[in-house]
Amino acid sequence: MPRKTIDLPDHFLFETHYDVLYTDVNAANHLGADRLLSIAMEAQLRFIRQLGHGQAIAFEDAGLIMAHAETAYLAEADYGDRLRVELGAREVEEKSFQFVYRISKDDSSVEVARVATTLLFFDYPSRRVVPVPEDFRARVTGTAEEPPWRG
């Protein structure tokens, strides 16, 4: 079976750091692959807060829901390692988009993992998927007049 790779976006919109916790470590004494999605979701929430929204559920008059996720574990990380999590957007369509995350060791730049999530904007009261808001589209595609964010 050929190995699938997660392609990185042309540029990253946001960067934050994450310290590997004891609860992130598995029986083999390194970062568990099952924790990668949680680390990515933490970075996503930090990015959304940088955009001025207090919580993901009240974002742009709709919530974000995840339709698909992929992870690629590339190198081990250990308890206490400081990770740099970079977030970028790609494939911004009418009703969906992807966030792509590159997770690296902060001290050596060794790439630990890549994560890709396909997200939809969802109107909870009407229980339906809604189009990607134009303001959000402009901000993540680089057509808005604002610099990249750091968290």
Side-chain angles (χ1 to χ4, degrees), residues 95-118:
K95 292 189 176 183
S96 67
F97 67 96
Q98 282 192 341
F99 275 151
V100 178
Y101 311 80
R102 178 170 54 192
I103 303 171
S104 307
K105 290 185 181 181
D106 196 42
D107 63 351
S108 66
S109 297
V110 169
E111 190 173 3
V112 172
R114 291 182 183 182
V115 177
T117 57
T118 302

mmCIF file with all atom_site columns, all heavy atoms in Angstrom, residues 95-118:
data_model
loop_
_atom_site.group_PDB
_atom_site.id
_atom_site.type_symbol
_atom_site.label_atom_id
_atom_site.label_alt_id
_atom_site.label_comp_id
_atom_site.label_asym_id
_atom_site.label_entity_id
_atom_site.label_seq_id
_atom_site.pdbx_PDB_ins_code
_atom_site.Cartn_x
_atom_site.Cartn_y
_atom_site.Cartn_z
_atom_site.occupancy
_atom_site.B_iso_or_equiv
_atom_site.pdbx_formal_charge
_atom_site.auth_seq_id
_atom_site.auth_comp_id
_atom_site.auth_asym_id
_atom_site.auth_atom_id
_atom_site.pdbx_PDB_model_num
ATOM 1   N N   . LYS A 1 95  ? -18.549 25.350 0.290  1.00 0.00 ? 95  LYS A N   1
ATOM 2   C CA  . LYS A 1 95  ? -19.058 25.010 1.618  1.00 0.00 ? 95  LYS A CA  1
ATOM 3   C C   . LYS A 1 95  ? -18.054 24.253 2.491  1.00 0.00 ? 95  LYS A C   1
ATOM 4   O O   . LYS A 1 95  ? -18.420 23.791 3.567  1.00 0.00 ? 95  LYS A O   1
ATOM 5   C CB  . LYS A 1 95  ? -20.338 24.178 1.482  1.00 0.00 ? 95  LYS A CB  1
ATOM 6   C CG  . LYS A 1 95  ? -21.498 24.992 0.922  1.00 0.00 ? 95  LYS A CG  1
ATOM 7   C CD  . LYS A 1 95  ? -22.792 24.230 1.010  1.00 0.00 ? 95  LYS A CD  1
ATOM 8   C CE  . LYS A 1 95  ? -23.945 25.097 0.531  1.00 0.00 ? 95  LYS A CE  1
ATOM 9   N NZ  . LYS A 1 95  ? -25.229 24.417 0.663  1.00 0.00 ? 95  LYS A NZ  1
ATOM 10  N N   . SER A 1 96  ? -16.818 24.126 2.048  1.00 0.00 ? 96  SER A N   1
ATOM 11  C CA  . SER A 1 96  ? -15.830 23.410 2.847  1.00 0.00 ? 96  SER A CA  1
ATOM 12  C C   . SER A 1 96  ? -14.444 24.010 2.638  1.00 0.00 ? 96  SER A C   1
ATOM 13  O O   . SER A 1 96  ? -14.220 24.767 1.698  1.00 0.00 ? 96  SER A O   1
ATOM 14  C CB  . SER A 1 96  ? -15.814 21.926 2.469  1.00 0.00 ? 96  SER A CB  1
ATOM 15  O OG  . SER A 1 96  ? -15.328 21.755 1.157  1.00 0.00 ? 96  SER A OG  1
ATOM 16  N N   . PHE A 1 97  ? -13.548 23.661 3.526  1.00 0.00 ? 97  PHE A N   1
ATOM 17  C CA  . PHE A 1 97  ? -12.149 24.061 3.413  1.00 0.00 ? 97  PHE A CA  1
ATOM 18  C C   . PHE A 1 97  ? -11.326 23.109 4.257  1.00 0.00 ? 97  PHE A C   1
ATOM 19  O O   . PHE A 1 97  ? -11.867 22.329 5.043  1.00 0.00 ? 97  PHE A O   1
ATOM 20  C CB  . PHE A 1 97  ? -11.943 25.514 3.874  1.00 0.00 ? 97  PHE A CB  1
ATOM 21  C CG  . PHE A 1 97  ? -12.180 25.721 5.339  1.00 0.00 ? 97  PHE A CG  1
ATOM 22  C CD1 . PHE A 1 97  ? -11.130 25.714 6.239  1.00 0.00 ? 97  PHE A CD1 1
ATOM 23  C CD2 . PHE A 1 97  ? -13.468 25.915 5.827  1.00 0.00 ? 97  PHE A CD2 1
ATOM 24  C CE1 . PHE A 1 97  ? -11.348 25.903 7.587  1.00 0.00 ? 97  PHE A CE1 1
ATOM 25  C CE2 . PHE A 1 97  ? -13.704 26.100 7.174  1.00 0.00 ? 97  PHE A CE2 1
ATOM 26  C CZ  . PHE A 1 97  ? -12.626 26.098 8.064  1.00 0.00 ? 97  PHE A CZ  1
ATOM 27  N N   . GLN A 1 98  ? -10.033 23.158 4.055  1.00 0.00 ? 98  GLN A N   1
ATOM 28  C CA  . GLN A 1 98  ? -9.130  22.344 4.857  1.00 0.00 ? 98  GLN A CA  1
ATOM 29  C C   . GLN A 1 98  ? -8.203  23.230 5.671  1.00 0.00 ? 98  GLN A C   1
ATOM 30  O O   . GLN A 1 98  ? -7.721  24.257 5.170  1.00 0.00 ? 98  GLN A O   1
ATOM 31  C CB  . GLN A 1 98  ? -8.259  21.435 3.985  1.00 0.00 ? 98  GLN A CB  1
ATOM 32  C CG  . GLN A 1 98  ? -8.945  20.223 3.483  1.00 0.00 ? 98  GLN A CG  1
ATOM 33  C CD  . GLN A 1 98  ? -7.957  19.234 2.873  1.00 0.00 ? 98  GLN A CD  1
ATOM 34  O OE1 . GLN A 1 98  ? -6.835  19.573 2.523  1.00 0.00 ? 98  GLN A OE1 1
ATOM 35  N NE2 . GLN A 1 98  ? -8.387  18.001 2.764  1.00 0.00 ? 98  GLN A NE2 1
ATOM 36  N N   . PHE A 1 99  ? -7.984  22.813 6.911  1.00 0.00 ? 99  PHE A N   1
ATOM 37  C CA  . PHE A 1 99  ? -6.885  23.328 7.688  1.00 0.00 ? 99  PHE A CA  1
ATOM 38  C C   . PHE A 1 99  ? -5.815  22.247 7.639  1.00 0.00 ? 99  PHE A C   1
ATOM 39  O O   . PHE A 1 99  ? -6.107  21.056 7.792  1.00 0.00 ? 99  PHE A O   1
ATOM 40  C CB  . PHE A 1 99  ? -7.271  23.580 9.149  1.00 0.00 ? 99  PHE A CB  1
ATOM 41  C CG  . PHE A 1 99  ? -7.907  24.912 9.420  1.00 0.00 ? 99  PHE A CG  1
ATOM 42  C CD1 . PHE A 1 99  ? -8.810  25.051 10.461 1.00 0.00 ? 99  PHE A CD1 1
ATOM 43  C CD2 . PHE A 1 99  ? -7.592  26.040 8.673  1.00 0.00 ? 99  PHE A CD2 1
ATOM 44  C CE1 . PHE A 1 99  ? -9.396  26.276 10.744 1.00 0.00 ? 99  PHE A CE1 1
ATOM 45  C CE2 . PHE A 1 99  ? -8.174  27.278 8.943  1.00 0.00 ? 99  PHE A CE2 1
ATOM 46  C CZ  . PHE A 1 99  ? -9.077  27.390 9.979  1.00 0.00 ? 99  PHE A CZ  1
ATOM 47  N N   . VAL A 1 100 ? -4.583  22.662 7.424  1.00 0.00 ? 100 VAL A N   1
ATOM 48  C CA  . VAL A 1 100 ? -3.454  21.745 7.433  1.00 0.00 ? 100 VAL A CA  1
ATOM 49  C C   . VAL A 1 100 ? -2.488  22.225 8.500  1.00 0.00 ? 100 VAL A C   1
ATOM 50  O O   . VAL A 1 100 ? -2.211  23.426 8.613  1.00 0.00 ? 100 VAL A O   1
ATOM 51  C CB  . VAL A 1 100 ? -2.761  21.697 6.052  1.00 0.00 ? 100 VAL A CB  1
ATOM 52  C CG1 . VAL A 1 100 ? -1.558  20.765 6.082  1.00 0.00 ? 100 VAL A CG1 1
ATOM 53  C CG2 . VAL A 1 100 ? -3.753  21.253 4.982  1.00 0.00 ? 100 VAL A CG2 1
ATOM 54  N N   . TYR A 1 101 ? -1.979  21.282 9.273  1.00 0.00 ? 101 TYR A N   1
ATOM 55  C CA  . TYR A 1 101 ? -1.119  21.586 10.401 1.00 0.00 ? 101 TYR A CA  1
ATOM 56  C C   . TYR A 1 101 ? 0.225   20.885 10.211 1.00 0.00 ? 101 TYR A C   1
ATOM 57  O O   . TYR A 1 101 ? 0.265   19.708 9.869  1.00 0.00 ? 101 TYR A O   1
ATOM 58  C CB  . TYR A 1 101 ? -1.729  21.072 11.713 1.00 0.00 ? 101 TYR A CB  1
ATOM 59  C CG  . TYR A 1 101 ? -3.167  21.455 11.916 1.00 0.00 ? 101 TYR A CG  1
ATOM 60  C CD1 . TYR A 1 101 ? -4.197  20.743 11.287 1.00 0.00 ? 101 TYR A CD1 1
ATOM 61  C CD2 . TYR A 1 101 ? -3.521  22.514 12.733 1.00 0.00 ? 101 TYR A CD2 1
ATOM 62  C CE1 . TYR A 1 101 ? -5.523  21.083 11.472 1.00 0.00 ? 101 TYR A CE1 1
ATOM 63  C CE2 . TYR A 1 101 ? -4.853  22.855 12.925 1.00 0.00 ? 101 TYR A CE2 1
ATOM 64  C CZ  . TYR A 1 101 ? -5.843  22.137 12.286 1.00 0.00 ? 101 TYR A CZ  1
ATOM 65  O OH  . TYR A 1 101 ? -7.157  22.467 12.475 1.00 0.00 ? 101 TYR A OH  1
ATOM 66  N N   . ARG A 1 102 ? 1.300   21.626 10.441 1.00 0.00 ? 102 ARG A N   1
ATOM 67  C CA  . ARG A 1 102 ? 2.629   21.014 10.510 1.00 0.00 ? 102 ARG A CA  1
ATOM 68  C C   . ARG A 1 102 ? 3.069   21.125 11.964 1.00 0.00 ? 102 ARG A C   1
ATOM 69  O O   . ARG A 1 102 ? 3.110   22.227 12.530 1.00 0.00 ? 102 ARG A O   1
ATOM 70  C CB  . ARG A 1 102 ? 3.609   21.723 9.596  1.00 0.00 ? 102 ARG A CB  1
ATOM 71  C CG  . ARG A 1 102 ? 5.026   21.123 9.690  1.00 0.00 ? 102 ARG A CG  1
ATOM 72  C CD  . ARG A 1 102 ? 5.968   21.640 8.636  1.00 0.00 ? 102 ARG A CD  1
ATOM 73  N NE  . ARG A 1 102 ? 6.023   23.099 8.636  1.00 0.00 ? 102 ARG A NE  1
ATOM 74  C CZ  . ARG A 1 102 ? 6.595   23.794 7.659  1.00 0.00 ? 102 ARG A CZ  1
ATOM 75  N NH1 . ARG A 1 102 ? 7.133   23.194 6.616  1.00 0.00 ? 102 ARG A NH1 1
ATOM 76  N NH2 . ARG A 1 102 ? 6.627   25.113 7.727  1.00 0.00 ? 102 ARG A NH2 1
ATOM 77  N N   . ILE A 1 103 ? 3.385   19.993 12.556 1.00 0.00 ? 103 ILE A N   1
ATOM 78  C CA  . ILE A 1 103 ? 3.798   19.934 13.958 1.00 0.00 ? 103 ILE A CA  1
ATOM 79  C C   . ILE A 1 103 ? 5.270   19.537 13.987 1.00 0.00 ? 103 ILE A C   1
ATOM 80  O O   . ILE A 1 103 ? 5.639   18.472 13.489 1.00 0.00 ? 103 ILE A O   1
ATOM 81  C CB  . ILE A 1 103 ? 2.929   18.932 14.750 1.00 0.00 ? 103 ILE A CB  1
ATOM 82  C CG1 . ILE A 1 103 ? 1.444   19.321 14.641 1.00 0.00 ? 103 ILE A CG1 1
ATOM 83  C CG2 . ILE A 1 103 ? 3.384   18.849 16.199 1.00 0.00 ? 103 ILE A CG2 1
ATOM 84  C CD1 . ILE A 1 103 ? 0.482   18.285 15.199 1.00 0.00 ? 103 ILE A CD1 1
ATOM 85  N N   . SER A 1 104 ? 6.101   20.408 14.565 1.00 0.00 ? 104 SER A N   1
ATOM 86  C CA  . SER A 1 104 ? 7.553   20.190 14.588 1.00 0.00 ? 104 SER A CA  1
ATOM 87  C C   . SER A 1 104 ? 8.082   20.397 15.992 1.00 0.00 ? 104 SER A C   1
ATOM 88  O O   . SER A 1 104 ? 7.502   21.135 16.783 1.00 0.00 ? 104 SER A O   1
ATOM 89  C CB  . SER A 1 104 ? 8.257   21.180 13.656 1.00 0.00 ? 104 SER A CB  1
ATOM 90  O OG  . SER A 1 104 ? 7.723   21.143 12.371 1.00 0.00 ? 104 SER A OG  1
ATOM 91  N N   . LYS A 1 105 ? 9.232   19.784 16.267 1.00 0.00 ? 105 LYS A N   1
ATOM 92  C CA  . LYS A 1 105 ? 9.916   20.066 17.529 1.00 0.00 ? 105 LYS A CA  1
ATOM 93  C C   . LYS A 1 105 ? 10.482  21.470 17.436 1.00 0.00 ? 105 LYS A C   1
ATOM 94  O O   . LYS A 1 105 ? 11.134  21.829 16.451 1.00 0.00 ? 105 LYS A O   1
ATOM 95  C CB  . LYS A 1 105 ? 11.030  19.058 17.790 1.00 0.00 ? 105 LYS A CB  1
ATOM 96  C CG  . LYS A 1 105 ? 10.515  17.675 18.114 1.00 0.00 ? 105 LYS A CG  1
ATOM 97  C CD  . LYS A 1 105 ? 11.659  16.758 18.479 1.00 0.00 ? 105 LYS A CD  1
ATOM 98  C CE  . LYS A 1 105 ? 11.138  15.360 18.774 1.00 0.00 ? 105 LYS A CE  1
ATOM 99  N NZ  . LYS A 1 105 ? 12.245  14.460 19.163 1.00 0.00 ? 105 LYS A NZ  1
ATOM 100 N N   . ASP A 1 106 ? 10.235  22.261 18.452 1.00 0.00 ? 106 ASP A N   1
ATOM 101 C CA  . ASP A 1 106 ? 10.641  23.662 18.427 1.00 0.00 ? 106 ASP A CA  1
ATOM 102 C C   . ASP A 1 106 ? 12.158  23.815 18.490 1.00 0.00 ? 106 ASP A C   1
ATOM 103 O O   . ASP A 1 106 ? 12.708  24.717 17.869 1.00 0.00 ? 106 ASP A O   1
ATOM 104 C CB  . ASP A 1 106 ? 9.970   24.418 19.571 1.00 0.00 ? 106 ASP A CB  1
ATOM 105 C CG  . ASP A 1 106 ? 10.027  25.919 19.384 1.00 0.00 ? 106 ASP A CG  1
ATOM 106 O OD1 . ASP A 1 106 ? 9.812   26.386 18.250 1.00 0.00 ? 106 ASP A OD1 1
ATOM 107 O OD2 . ASP A 1 106 ? 10.302  26.619 20.375 1.00 0.00 ? 106 ASP A OD2 1
ATOM 108 N N   . ASP A 1 107 ? 12.839  22.920 19.198 1.00 0.00 ? 107 ASP A N   1
ATOM 109 C CA  . ASP A 1 107 ? 14.283  23.083 19.386 1.00 0.00 ? 107 ASP A CA  1
ATOM 110 C C   . ASP A 1 107 ? 15.113  22.580 18.210 1.00 0.00 ? 107 ASP A C   1
ATOM 111 O O   . ASP A 1 107 ? 16.247  23.000 18.021 1.00 0.00 ? 107 ASP A O   1
ATOM 112 C CB  . ASP A 1 107 ? 14.737  22.409 20.685 1.00 0.00 ? 107 ASP A CB  1
ATOM 113 C CG  . ASP A 1 107 ? 14.512  20.909 20.693 1.00 0.00 ? 107 ASP A CG  1
ATOM 114 O OD1 . ASP A 1 107 ? 13.847  20.379 19.769 1.00 0.00 ? 107 ASP A OD1 1
ATOM 115 O OD2 . ASP A 1 107 ? 14.999  20.252 21.630 1.00 0.00 ? 107 ASP A OD2 1
ATOM 116 N N   . SER A 1 108 ? 14.557  21.695 17.384 1.00 0.00 ? 108 SER A N   1
ATOM 117 C CA  . SER A 1 108 ? 15.351  21.106 16.302 1.00 0.00 ? 108 SER A CA  1
ATOM 118 C C   . SER A 1 108 ? 14.684  21.217 14.933 1.00 0.00 ? 108 SER A C   1
ATOM 119 O O   . SER A 1 108 ? 15.285  20.851 13.931 1.00 0.00 ? 108 SER A O   1
ATOM 120 C CB  . SER A 1 108 ? 15.603  19.624 16.595 1.00 0.00 ? 108 SER A CB  1
ATOM 121 O OG  . SER A 1 108 ? 14.375  18.911 16.568 1.00 0.00 ? 108 SER A OG  1
ATOM 122 N N   . SER A 1 109 ? 13.450  21.655 14.906 1.00 0.00 ? 109 SER A N   1
ATOM 123 C CA  . SER A 1 109 ? 12.655  21.741 13.673 1.00 0.00 ? 109 SER A CA  1
ATOM 124 C C   . SER A 1 109 ? 12.380  20.387 13.036 1.00 0.00 ? 109 SER A C   1
ATOM 125 O O   . SER A 1 109 ? 11.964  20.318 11.880 1.00 0.00 ? 109 SER A O   1
ATOM 126 C CB  . SER A 1 109 ? 13.297  22.684 12.650 1.00 0.00 ? 109 SER A CB  1
ATOM 127 O OG  . SER A 1 109 ? 13.342  23.988 13.173 1.00 0.00 ? 109 SER A OG  1
ATOM 128 N N   . VAL A 1 110 ? 12.599  19.294 13.760 1.00 0.00 ? 110 VAL A N   1
ATOM 129 C CA  . VAL A 1 110 ? 12.244  17.969 13.252 1.00 0.00 ? 110 VAL A CA  1
ATOM 130 C C   . VAL A 1 110 ? 10.726  17.910 13.125 1.00 0.00 ? 110 VAL A C   1
ATOM 131 O O   . VAL A 1 110 ? 10.000  18.209 14.081 1.00 0.00 ? 110 VAL A O   1
ATOM 132 C CB  . VAL A 1 110 ? 12.752  16.851 14.193 1.00 0.00 ? 110 VAL A CB  1
ATOM 133 C CG1 . VAL A 1 110 ? 12.155  15.503 13.830 1.00 0.00 ? 110 VAL A CG1 1
ATOM 134 C CG2 . VAL A 1 110 ? 14.273  16.804 14.178 1.00 0.00 ? 110 VAL A CG2 1
ATOM 135 N N   . GLU A 1 111 ? 10.255  17.552 11.947 1.00 0.00 ? 111 GLU A N   1
ATOM 136 C CA  . GLU A 1 111 ? 8.818   17.478 11.715 1.00 0.00 ? 111 GLU A CA  1
ATOM 137 C C   . GLU A 1 111 ? 8.268   16.205 12.362 1.00 0.00 ? 111 GLU A C   1
ATOM 138 O O   . GLU A 1 111 ? 8.671   15.099 12.013 1.00 0.00 ? 111 GLU A O   1
ATOM 139 C CB  . GLU A 1 111 ? 8.524   17.501 10.218 1.00 0.00 ? 111 GLU A CB  1
ATOM 140 C CG  . GLU A 1 111 ? 7.068   17.678 9.894  1.00 0.00 ? 111 GLU A CG  1
ATOM 141 C CD  . GLU A 1 111 ? 6.794   17.880 8.415  1.00 0.00 ? 111 GLU A CD  1
ATOM 142 O OE1 . GLU A 1 111 ? 7.739   17.826 7.599  1.00 0.00 ? 111 GLU A OE1 1
ATOM 143 O OE2 . GLU A 1 111 ? 5.627   18.103 8.094  1.00 0.00 ? 111 GLU A OE2 1
ATOM 144 N N   . VAL A 1 112 ? 7.359   16.383 13.308 1.00 0.00 ? 112 VAL A N   1
ATOM 145 C CA  . VAL A 1 112 ? 6.777   15.274 14.055 1.00 0.00 ? 112 VAL A CA  1
ATOM 146 C C   . VAL A 1 112 ? 5.556   14.724 13.326 1.00 0.00 ? 112 VAL A C   1
ATOM 147 O O   . VAL A 1 112 ? 5.359   13.509 13.260 1.00 0.00 ? 112 VAL A O   1
ATOM 148 C CB  . VAL A 1 112 ? 6.406   15.721 15.485 1.00 0.00 ? 112 VAL A CB  1
ATOM 149 C CG1 . VAL A 1 112 ? 5.624   14.643 16.224 1.00 0.00 ? 112 VAL A CG1 1
ATOM 150 C CG2 . VAL A 1 112 ? 7.657   16.130 16.252 1.00 0.00 ? 112 VAL A CG2 1
ATOM 151 N N   . ALA A 1 113 ? 4.718   15.607 12.783 1.00 0.00 ? 113 ALA A N   1
ATOM 152 C CA  . ALA A 1 113 ? 3.471   15.139 12.175 1.00 0.00 ? 113 ALA A CA  1
ATOM 153 C C   . ALA A 1 113 ? 2.873   16.197 11.267 1.00 0.00 ? 113 ALA A C   1
ATOM 154 O O   . ALA A 1 113 ? 3.210   17.382 11.358 1.00 0.00 ? 113 ALA A O   1
ATOM 155 C CB  . ALA A 1 113 ? 2.464   14.784 13.268 1.00 0.00 ? 113 ALA A CB  1
ATOM 156 N N   . ARG A 1 114 ? 1.978   15.713 10.429 1.00 0.00 ? 114 ARG A N   1
ATOM 157 C CA  . ARG A 1 114 ? 1.105   16.586 9.643  1.00 0.00 ? 114 ARG A CA  1
ATOM 158 C C   . ARG A 1 114 ? -0.322  16.113 9.873  1.00 0.00 ? 114 ARG A C   1
ATOM 159 O O   . ARG A 1 114 ? -0.582  14.910 9.965  1.00 0.00 ? 114 ARG A O   1
ATOM 160 C CB  . ARG A 1 114 ? 1.424   16.504 8.152  1.00 0.00 ? 114 ARG A CB  1
ATOM 161 C CG  . ARG A 1 114 ? 2.758   17.097 7.799  1.00 0.00 ? 114 ARG A CG  1
ATOM 162 C CD  . ARG A 1 114 ? 3.018   17.043 6.317  1.00 0.00 ? 114 ARG A CD  1
ATOM 163 N NE  . ARG A 1 114 ? 4.352   17.561 6.019  1.00 0.00 ? 114 ARG A NE  1
ATOM 164 C CZ  . ARG A 1 114 ? 4.851   17.676 4.810  1.00 0.00 ? 114 ARG A CZ  1
ATOM 165 N NH1 . ARG A 1 114 ? 4.108   17.308 3.750  1.00 0.00 ? 114 ARG A NH1 1
ATOM 166 N NH2 . ARG A 1 114 ? 6.061   18.142 4.625  1.00 0.00 ? 114 ARG A NH2 1
ATOM 167 N N   . VAL A 1 115 ? -1.207  17.078 9.953  1.00 0.00 ? 115 VAL A N   1
ATOM 168 C CA  . VAL A 1 115 ? -2.628  16.787 10.140 1.00 0.00 ? 115 VAL A CA  1
ATOM 169 C C   . VAL A 1 115 ? -3.406  17.624 9.133  1.00 0.00 ? 115 VAL A C   1
ATOM 170 O O   . VAL A 1 115 ? -3.055  18.782 8.884  1.00 0.00 ? 115 VAL A O   1
ATOM 171 C CB  . VAL A 1 115 ? -3.089  17.139 11.580 1.00 0.00 ? 115 VAL A CB  1
ATOM 172 C CG1 . VAL A 1 115 ? -4.585  16.895 11.759 1.00 0.00 ? 115 VAL A CG1 1
ATOM 173 C CG2 . VAL A 1 115 ? -2.289  16.354 12.619 1.00 0.00 ? 115 VAL A CG2 1
ATOM 174 N N   . ALA A 1 116 ? -4.427  17.037 8.536  1.00 0.00 ? 116 ALA A N   1
ATOM 175 C CA  . ALA A 1 116 ? -5.326  17.778 7.649  1.00 0.00 ? 116 ALA A CA  1
ATOM 176 C C   . ALA A 1 116 ? -6.756  17.517 8.104  1.00 0.00 ? 116 ALA A C   1
ATOM 177 O O   . ALA A 1 116 ? -7.127  16.373 8.369  1.00 0.00 ? 116 ALA A O   1
ATOM 178 C CB  . ALA A 1 116 ? -5.148  17.343 6.197  1.00 0.00 ? 116 ALA A CB  1
ATOM 179 N N   . THR A 1 117 ? -7.533  18.576 8.228  1.00 0.00 ? 117 THR A N   1
ATOM 180 C CA  . THR A 1 117 ? -8.942  18.439 8.599  1.00 0.00 ? 117 THR A CA  1
ATOM 181 C C   . THR A 1 117 ? -9.792  19.161 7.562  1.00 0.00 ? 117 THR A C   1
ATOM 182 O O   . THR A 1 117 ? -9.472  20.279 7.168  1.00 0.00 ? 117 THR A O   1
ATOM 183 C CB  . THR A 1 117 ? -9.230  19.022 9.997  1.00 0.00 ? 117 THR A CB  1
ATOM 184 O OG1 . THR A 1 117 ? -8.845  20.396 10.034 1.00 0.00 ? 117 THR A OG1 1
ATOM 185 C CG2 . THR A 1 117 ? -8.501  18.251 11.085 1.00 0.00 ? 117 THR A CG2 1
ATOM 186 N N   . THR A 1 118 ? -10.853 18.523 7.130  1.00 0.00 ? 118 THR A N   1
ATOM 187 C CA  . THR A 1 118 ? -11.835 19.157 6.254  1.00 0.00 ? 118 THR A CA  1
ATOM 188 C C   . THR A 1 118 ? -12.966 19.641 7.132  1.00 0.00 ? 118 THR A C   1
ATOM 189 O O   . THR A 1 118 ? -13.554 18.858 7.879  1.00 0.00 ? 118 THR A O   1
ATOM 190 C CB  . THR A 1 118 ? -12.350 18.180 5.185  1.00 0.00 ? 118 THR A CB  1
ATOM 191 O OG1 . THR A 1 118 ? -11.236 17.712 4.425  1.00 0.00 ? 118 THR A OG1 1
ATOM 192 C CG2 . THR A 1 118 ? -13.370 18.851 4.273  1.00 0.00 ? 118 THR A CG2 1
#
